[in-house]
Amino acid sequence: MEKTNELGTGKVSSLLLNLAVPAIIAMLVSMLYNMVDRIYIGNMENGTIGMAGLAVAVPIITLIQAFTQLFGTGGAPLAAIRLGEQKKEEAERIMAASFISLVVSGILLTTIIEIFQEPILLLFGADETSLASAKEYVTIYALGTVFVQIAQGMNPYINTQGFAKMGMATILIGAVLNIILDPIFIFAMGMGIRGAAVATILSQGISALWVMYFLLKRSPMKLRRAFLVPRPAIIGAIITLGISPFVMSGTEGLLQISFNNQLSAYGGSIAVGSMAILLSLYQMILLPLGGITQGAQPILSYNFGARDLERVRETFRLSFRVCLLYSFTISGIIMIFAPAFARIFSRDADTIRYAVWAIRIYISGGLFFGAQISCQQSFMALGQAKRSLCMALLRKVILLIPLIYLLPVLLGDLGLAQSMAGPVADLLKDGGKTFCVLFAEPVSDILAASITSLTFFSFYRKSLR
């Protein structure tokens, strides 16, 4: 328990650095894996079609990851709070309940996706061009769902005990293996997009084995057979807190469906295929921010359980400043050097021209995204499930998805929207409306960051003093 006790006694800035840096490194490597995966696919023969197929498959991948958030990220803060209250057995019961829930949900998801994948992909925006490549990827990827659930869903229990380097190893193992295996299966073995899926599930399987080894053999808080039949109250508590990150991930899939359908209608295949590029670059903002908040979570949760509110306040203030500084800096860099980033993903001149234009619109709201994620994740770390859920719903469900459909209707035919689309109008079915679809992202990002920050600081003044 010595490692865990440091959360209540160590210097906050040093703790945050020690916990966040391994998480950030892991997130950066994971981001690199995602980018390399898409670079390989984009540079295949017919790479634009492959990218469109991958973009259509992303909502399914996101849905699978949403369940890792529901049962893994939802349970880990609860376990940390119980450790802060010196209730280790209850913390272990929570971890065991998460594990069995992840395995069961993984099996159910695999079955549903394999049986209904074609109607699901059509619903998610696939057309006759992209459907075949999307099915090739999803058919194989779904077979590794349980591996993904264990590797990504149980890793928060390593991090929440303060073992950030071990948690980093989980992600590094999967990401590095994936980077190595991708070219072997995609090019050397001639499997194309199917090879990318095979590389992913093999890598996640090895990561899952690592997580199980640590939690069974090396972790102070162990996964015990005696606790594998969960108490309903524990499952309920996990879901109550996990519903917020579940909604964040699940609505990400709904969001991509909305983007795919609208971009297909107004922009065509070049706009749908380039969405995979935009998502990869947005991960450069999102994933390191997730590493920072992941480092802050054990400190916030443990000290909130121990009722040391001064350490809670100090941790949040530091996390907020670092997140906002990072998001502002990296978003600016991406927008300035958009041509260089676009060329990484494609050799097609038209795709590059469109992507440069789209990047500078889509990424601009990321300047302020650090405020949104810092406050929203802090709510979750402090066990504030309802507030965290509301903030998770705000950006995507309440703001972004409606704006994706409303802005093209309200503004798409106006002169401003048409002039903004001028540089790429010849590539698109309707440039003004395509601009409005992309512009929905920064509008919602800025509004959500402002509202979430005001809400958290109101909670801060009333409840953390």
Side-chain angles (χ1 to χ4, degrees):
M1 294 292 288
E2 181 180 352
K3 191 76 173 177
T4 305
N5 290 337
E6 289 179 10
L7 298 173
T9 58
K11 186 179 179 182
V12 167
S13 58
S14 298
L15 279 171
L16 183 59
L17 183 67
N18 292 335
L19 293 171
V21 167
I24 292 169
I25 293 172
M27 294 294 185
L28 288 172
V29 174
S30 178
M31 176 190 71
L32 178 63
Y33 140 64
N34 285 318
M35 291 180 67
V36 169
D37 205 38
R38 289 163 188 178
I39 290 167
Y40 284 137
I41 292 172
N43 284 278
M44 295 187 313
E45 186 178 356
N46 297 322
T48 300
I49 295 174
M51 289 286 276
L54 181 61
V56 172
V58 163
I60 292 179
I61 298 169
T62 305
L63 177 64
I64 292 170
Q65 292 172 341
F67 280 89
T68 72
Q69 300 282 314
L70 178 64
F71 297 116
T73 308
L78 286 177
I81 290 171
R82 296 297 176 267
L83 289 175
E85 296 170 344
Q86 305 303 312
K87 299 177 180 178
K88 183 183 176 184
E89 180 177 314
E90 191 169 343
E92 291 180 337
R93 287 186 179 277
I94 292 169
M95 184 169 68
S98 285
F99 174 76
I100 201 68
S101 300
L102 287 163
V103 171
V104 171
S105 65
I107 294 170
L108 290 175
L109 285 169
T110 299
T111 304
I112 292 169
I113 293 168
E114 294 292 359
I115 294 173
F116 300 107
Q117 62 175 272
E118 184 166 330
I120 292 172
L121 289 169
L122 290 170
L123 178 66
F124 288 2
D127 57 21
E128 58 184 15
T129 303
S130 60
L131 180 60
S133 59
K135 287 177 65 177
E136 287 182 351
Y137 188 87
V138 168
T139 298
I140 296 173
Y141 184 91
L143 296 175
T145 299
V146 173
F147 297 152
V148 175
Q149 297 288 82
I150 294 173
Q152 298 184 17
M154 295 304 293
N155 200 45
Y157 284 95
I158 298 176
N159 292 317
T160 205
Q161 297 177 79
F163 294 95
K165 292 181 181 178
M166 297 299 176
M168 175 183 70
T170 303
I171 298 176
L172 289 180
I173 289 168
V176 171
L177 278 175
N178 214 318
I179 291 170
I180 294 170
L181 294 175
D182 260 342
I184 295 173
F185 286 105
I186 294 173
F187 298 113
M189 299 184 67
M191 296 180 67
I193 195 169
R194 291 179 294 121
V198 171
T200 297
I201 64 171
L202 288 177
S203 303
Q204 290 296 314
I206 301 299
S207 291
L209 289 174
W210 162 258
V211 169
M212 293 303 297
Y213 164 73
F214 184 85
L215 293 177
L216 288 169
K217 300 294 185 181
R218 299 181 60 183
S219 171
M221 183 173 68
K222 287 187 167 53
L223 186 60
R224 301 187 188 278
R225 183 183 300 176
F227 299 154
L228 287 179
V229 178
R231 296 172 179 173
I234 293 178
I235 295 289
I238 291 170
I239 292 175
T240 298
L241 191 55
I243 197 69
S244 172
F246 174 80
V247 168
M248 286 185 69
S249 292
T251 52
E252 190 68 33
L254 181 61
L255 177 60
Q256 294 315 312
I257 296 168
S258 302
F259 269 123
N260 288 342
N261 286 327
Q262 289 291 84
L263 290 173
S264 178
Y266 300 131
S269 60
I270 194 170
V272 176
S274 296
M275 197 64 208
I277 299 175
L278 302 182
L279 291 173
S280 294
L281 294 178
Y282 210 83
Q283 285 187 329
M284 293 179 66
I285 305 169
L286 181 61
L287 291 182
L289 287 174
I292 297 168
T293 56
Q294 184 176 301
Q297 179 265 311
I299 313 171
L300 289 168
S301 299
Y302 184 92
N303 287 288
F304 189 70
R307 305 309 299 164
D308 190 342
L309 297 186
E310 175 55 36
R311 289 177 65 82
V312 173
R313 293 193 297 270
E314 184 181 353
T315 304
F316 167 74
R317 290 194 299 264
L318 183 57
S319 171
F320 181 85
R321 292 166 184 162
V322 173
C323 284
L324 189 56
L325 177 63
Y326 175 79
S327 67
F328 198 90
T329 302
I330 195 65
S331 298
I333 291 172
I334 292 171
M335 287 189 288
I336 292 169
F337 298 103
F341 285 108
R343 290 188 188 98
I344 294 172
F345 291 92
S346 180
R347 296 174 292 180
D348 181 71
D350 287 341
T351 300
I352 292 170
R353 179 156 63 96
Y354 171 83
V356 170
W357 173 80
I359 286 166
R360 288 172 173 159
I361 298 166
Y362 187 83
I363 296 294
S364 57
L367 293 164
F368 308 100
F369 192 68
Q372 159 80 15
I373 194 169
S374 176
C375 293
Q376 193 275 326
Q377 294 291 86
S378 294
F379 271 134
M380 188 175 68
L382 300 175
Q384 302 298 309
K386 292 181 180 178
R387 289 184 173 94
S388 183
L389 175 60
C390 289
M391 296 305 101
L393 289 170
L394 173 67
R395 174 177 165 261
K396 296 174 185 175
V397 177
I398 298 174
L399 292 173
L400 183 49
I401 292 175
L403 287 174
I404 289 171
Y405 291 96
L406 288 174
L407 289 186
V409 175
L410 298 176
L411 306 177
D413 294 324
L414 298 183
L416 178 61
Q418 294 293 329
S419 64
M420 291 296 293
V424 294
D426 60 307
L427 303 175
L428 307 171
K429 298 176 184 178
D430 189 321
K433 291 183 178 179
T434 302
F435 165 77
C436 290
V437 172
L438 296 172
F439 189 58
E441 180 72 41
V443 171
S444 63
D445 283 349
I446 293 169
L447 287 174
S450 302
I451 295 169
T452 303
S453 297
L454 290 172
T455 303
F456 188 87
F457 280 102
S458 175
F459 167 80
Y460 180 99
R461 288 192 298 270
K462 294 177 182 178
S463 303
L464 296 180
R465 289 193 180 280

